[in-house]
Amino acid sequence: MKRYHILFLIGLMTMTVSCEKDFLDRYPQTSITPEVFFNTEEDLALYANGLLSLSSHGMYISDQSTDNLATTAAVEVKNIMTGNPSSQNVSGGWSWGRLRTINYFLENYDRAAVTDEVKNHYAGLARYYRAIFYHDKVKRFSDVPWYSGTLNPGDEELFKAQDPRELVMDNVMADLDFALANVREDVPTGTPGKWAVAVMDAKIALYEGTYRKYHPELELQSTAEAFLQRAAAAAERIMAEGGFSVHNTGNPASDYADLFGNQDLMSNSEMILVNSFDQTKNVSGNQNTGIFGNYEQSPARDLVQTYLMADGSRFTDQSGYETMGFVEEFENRDPRLAQTLAYPGWQRAQDNAPYVQFIARNFSGYHQLKGYVNSTDQVILNSSDVPVHRYAEVLLILAEAKAELGTLTQTDLDNTVNVLRDRVGMPHLNFTEANADVDPVLAARYPNLTDGNRGVILEIRRERRVEFAFENIRYDDLMRWHAGKLLEGIPVGMYFPGVGDYDLTGDGVPDIRLIPDGQTIPAERERNSLGVQLIYYTIGTIGSGASIYLENGVNGGFLVTDDRERNFIEPKYYYRPVPNSETILNTNLYQLFDWE
């Protein structure tokens, strides 16, 4: 049968496990039989370690699919909105090799001569990984075939249609139930334990609950509440029993930034799961090139405008906020802004003066700091830990789930959102005031949000965007909130009123000079009052020969990053098609929501 190589690409009659070198030395990579391998706890642990998959430094560049970043990369959702997508050219994600590896373990772990407690711990880990695997599949395709065991060529199940989303998610939650009941709290450093499982339980339940609530095309709105209740309960359990706390040393200007680009997060009270890196131990990695400067991505002005003022008022309520320049828009803001983006006066380790924002075509002019390691030491550069799960997300899961359920109180806000605001010295979110004074800018972004808690839900959504910017959370949030239309907006950058000299370091002294497109940049550039040569840029409209593009060319405006029209078709683009090659091989597979 030719179908076998499509669904399970990693040997249906053999198995490949990716893990530690000593494991691969001990057992042939393509011939691991149950009788030879599944005997001891060490065997179970080695196999489970081979399933380990953690967020890495790439997390910091994953928001390219969202309204947080402009990007010149060929990002899937951008290509879909600007192209002619079909099941023939949108063909990723339909891979099942990892599932077979997980299911192979679950079929054989019971052979080990160990106690039931040991067996159930490792089975719980496998089911935790299976729950994550299937949740990712549901996010992409909605209906997918559920397989609880390994299959062989010719098995009839290989040719079945997808199972309904409800069945798949019921199985996902059952896997999490087992994992929650059996995975140990005390586990090796850098591997998921009881509380990592609990975080995923809360995350998945919140995702599914809000997705069902805001996506009428699924016709599952009546089932949303149970998931939201589960999310709230899971978060409350972590808060009550987990022993975690928000990292807060009393330094609001740096405590938030300390969570990212840090060489030692293992002892941080906020960390529930960490991916640890240490170049001296041959475990290294960094994303400095991708994060900072003008390589593919740059933060969007819309994100900058989302941060509140330091006194808790809305930036978008400030007179003239639409035309504020770089220096002015960073004044008196939520301290997380200057700990997430390069701010006026920030200095790189290799420089002897404040950094002047480098501006280029199709980029916003803003630069990302979160995840950037400001050092010239190669060991430090390649040894920053990555926060996989942090306690802050648990707090905001509880706040959002209760707000969506209509049970949120001021005490809940004080125990969640306001704990995060305390870290950076921001005023508290007030439940009554938020609902009485709804932010019109946020309300316009989420027009399907109409219930009585609208104001406070919007503020919790703001808090999530600010707290988790560039942590690979925003895209899932937009999808579950039915807010895909926000991706139609083309990200813009800094505002300049036109030709002239501009200060970008905040010292009141000009750093750059903008001149009209076509005017020659002089070989001997004028110097500012500090004796430093001005940086010259020619300005024009997009597509011109200018150094940088402004909305209105020499008449100023925002830095323009793109001009291709984007169209997010609802509900179609909340999902992806089953690849055409798969539907040819298995005619029982079907396409959802007008995909062809």
Side-chain angles (χ1 to χ4, degrees):
M1 301 288 290
K2 61 183 179 180
R3 177 65 178 134
Y4 76 94
H5 70 284
I6 298 299
L7 275 179
F8 298 115
L9 299 178
I10 299 182
L12 285 168
M13 301 184 72
T14 61
M15 184 184 71
T16 297
V17 177
S18 171
C19 58
E20 300 168 338
K21 186 177 185 297
D22 60 337
F23 179 35
L24 298 181
D25 289 342
R26 287 181 57 196
Y27 299 103
Q29 196 173 7
T30 57
S31 183
I32 301 174
T33 64
E35 294 79 14
V36 170
F37 185 72
F38 294 97
N39 295 311
T40 67
E41 180 170 2
E42 180 189 22
D43 293 342
L44 300 182
L46 285 171
Y47 198 114
N49 288 340
L51 296 174
L52 183 65
S53 179
L54 300 177
S55 301
S56 190
H57 296 91
M59 170 182 80
Y60 297 118
I61 62 173
S62 296
D63 273 7
Q64 292 184 40
S65 295
T66 78
D67 53 352
N68 281 349
L69 287 169
T71 180
T72 58
V75 175
E76 183 184 66
V77 69
K78 185 176 74 171
N79 291 342
I80 286 173
M81 291 189 294
T82 59
N84 296 297
S86 71
S87 62
Q88 296 188 16
N89 55 36
V90 181
S91 57
W94 198 264
S95 55
W96 302 86
R98 179 171 172 80
L99 175 63
R100 187 185 194 279
T101 304
I102 295 168
N103 283 341
Y104 187 86
F105 177 84
L106 289 170
E107 288 183 341
N108 292 287
Y109 77 94
D110 200 41
R111 295 172 179 269
V114 296
T115 66
D116 287 344
E117 185 277 331
V118 171
K119 291 179 182 179
N120 290 339
H121 165 69
Y122 292 104
L125 286 175
R127 294 183 70 169
Y128 160 80
Y129 289 126
R130 185 167 68 184
I132 294 173
F133 173 89
Y134 262 111
H135 175 56
D136 287 340
K137 284 287 185 283
V138 168
K139 286 193 296 184
R140 186 172 178 87
F141 300 107
S142 197
D143 292 357
V144 290
W146 173 266
Y147 294 107
S148 59
T150 57
L151 300 178
N152 293 298
D155 285 354
E156 186 176 344
E157 285 255 298
L158 288 170
F159 298 93
K160 74 173 185 175
Q162 297 100 310
D163 290 301
R165 183 187 188 114
E166 308 96 288
L167 181 149
V168 175
M169 287 308 302
D170 284 348
N171 287 333
V172 165
M173 304 321 286
D175 274 350
L176 289 171
D177 283 337
F178 185 90
L180 286 165
N182 291 285
V183 172
R184 298 166 179 161
E185 183 172 355
D186 185 15
V187 295
T189 299
T191 64
K194 170 183 177 179
W195 298 117
V197 174
V199 171
M200 284 308 303
D201 182 46
K203 285 169 64 84
I204 291 173
L206 179 71
Y207 185 96
E208 190 66 12
T210 49
Y211 202 98
R212 292 187 184 195
K213 179 175 181 177
Y214 291 111
H215 283 264
E217 73 276 5
L218 293 179
E219 299 182 351
L220 294 174
Q221 288 167 305
S222 63
T223 64
E225 185 173 317
F227 282 93
L228 293 172
Q229 290 172 339
R230 178 164 177 152
E236 286 181 322
R237 182 185 179 198
I238 298 168
M239 292 168 65
E241 303 174 23
F244 304 100
S245 61
V246 167
H247 174 68
N248 185 351
T249 70
N251 294 306
S254 61
D255 279 342
Y256 177 72
D258 286 347
L259 302 172
F260 316 102
N262 191 308
Q263 279 67 59
D264 181 17
L265 287 178
M266 287 298 182
S267 60
N268 190 293
S269 64
E270 189 167 332
M271 296 302 123
I272 298 174
L273 183 60
V274 172
N275 194 355
S276 184
F277 290 82
D278 187 342
Q279 183 171 290
T280 65
K281 297 178 181 178
N282 297 317
V283 182
S284 64
N286 79 77
Q287 279 287 347
N288 266 13
T289 301
I291 289 170
F292 189 89
N294 295 295
Y295 176 74
E296 286 193 354
Q297 71 176 44
S298 55
R301 184 176 176 85
D302 180 71
L303 172 63
V304 175
Q305 294 181 342
T306 298
Y307 290 77
L308 296 170
M309 302 298 293
D311 64 3
S313 62
R314 299 186 285 253
F315 175 75
T316 50
D317 286 347
Q318 308 300 306
S319 176
Y321 81 91
E322 302 97 329
T323 57
M324 284 185 182
F326 177 62
V327 172
E328 188 179 4
E329 64 188 353
F330 271 78
E331 293 175 350
N332 302 315
R333 303 294 297 279
D334 181 332
R336 285 172 291 189
L337 176 60
Q339 295 174 65
T340 304
L341 274 66
Y343 53 88
W346 176 77
Q347 188 167 321
R348 294 189 299 179
Q350 63 264 42
D351 296 338
N352 58 11
Y355 178 72
V356 178
Q357 305 294 114
F358 178 63
I359 309 174
R361 291 178 178 175
N362 305 110
F363 289 88
S364 69
Y366 302 106
H367 295 327
Q368 179 178 329
L369 284 187
K370 182 182 280 191
Y372 178 81
V373 181
N374 193 19
S375 175
T376 58
D377 185 312
Q378 288 300 310
V379 173
I380 293 175
L381 282 173
N382 289 294
S383 302
S384 65
D385 293 348
V386 176
V388 178
H389 296 315
R390 57 189 183 93
Y391 185 57
E393 187 171 6
V394 175
L395 300 184
L396 292 187
I397 286 172
L398 178 61
E400 183 179 355
K402 284 198 165 187
E404 293 287 0
L405 288 166
T407 61
L408 185 74
T409 66
Q410 183 62 50
T411 299
D412 293 322
L413 286 178
D414 292 340
N415 291 333
T416 57
V417 174
N418 291 332
V419 173
L420 300 179
R421 291 193 175 189
D422 284 341
R423 174 182 19 220
V424 291
M426 285 290 291
H428 283 189
L429 174 61
N430 182 278
F431 179 89
T432 303
E433 292 176 2
N435 281 330
D437 182 20
V438 178
D439 183 352
V441 174
L442 291 184
R445 289 176 182 163
Y446 306 107
N448 62 334
L449 186 56
T450 58
D451 66 23
N453 269 348
R454 180 172 63 147
V456 76
I457 291 174
L458 289 172
E459 291 305 323
I460 291 169
R461 291 185 180 186
R462 182 204 304 277
E463 202 73 19
R464 282 186 65 89
R465 187 179 189 187
V466 165
E467 181 70 23
F468 303 126
F470 314 135
E471 294 184 55
N472 195 26
I473 287 178
R474 179 67 174 170
Y475 183 79
D476 280 354
D477 282 353
L478 294 178
M479 295 301 100
R480 64 190 179 88
W481 295 334
H482 201 272
K485 283 291 184 180
L486 289 177
L487 299 180
E488 290 183 342
I490 299 174
V492 298
M494 295 177 179
Y495 179 86
F496 296 98
V499 298
D501 296 347
Y502 297 94
D503 166 32
L504 296 182
T505 60
D507 60 2
V509 178
D511 302 297
I512 68 171
R513 173 168 291 175
L514 304 185
I515 62 176
D517 181 26
Q519 185 172 319
T520 302
I521 297 176
E524 186 62 31
R525 303 183 184 188
E526 187 173 328
R527 296 178 180 272
N528 62 24
S529 61
L530 300 176
V532 179
Q533 282 190 336
L534 293 172
I535 302 169
Y536 283 64
Y537 296 98
T538 58
I539 59 174
T541 54
I542 193 166
S544 69
S547 303
I548 58 175
Y549 302 140
L550 291 182
E551 181 185 20
N552 303 309
V554 294
N555 294 317
F558 307 114
L559 285 169
V560 181
T561 65
D562 198 356
D563 64 350
R564 289 175 295 169
E565 182 179 354
R566 303 179 181 191
N567 184 20
F568 191 97
I569 300 174
E570 294 182 327
K572 181 177 180 179
Y573 289 174
Y574 289 109
Y575 311 92
R576 299 294 179 267
V578 178
N580 181 66
S581 59
E582 301 292 336
T583 59
I584 291 174
L585 291 170
N586 179 2
T587 57
N588 290 316
L589 295 174
Y590 54 83
Q591 302 291 4
L592 288 171
F593 305 114
D594 298 323
W595 280 104
E596 296 179 358

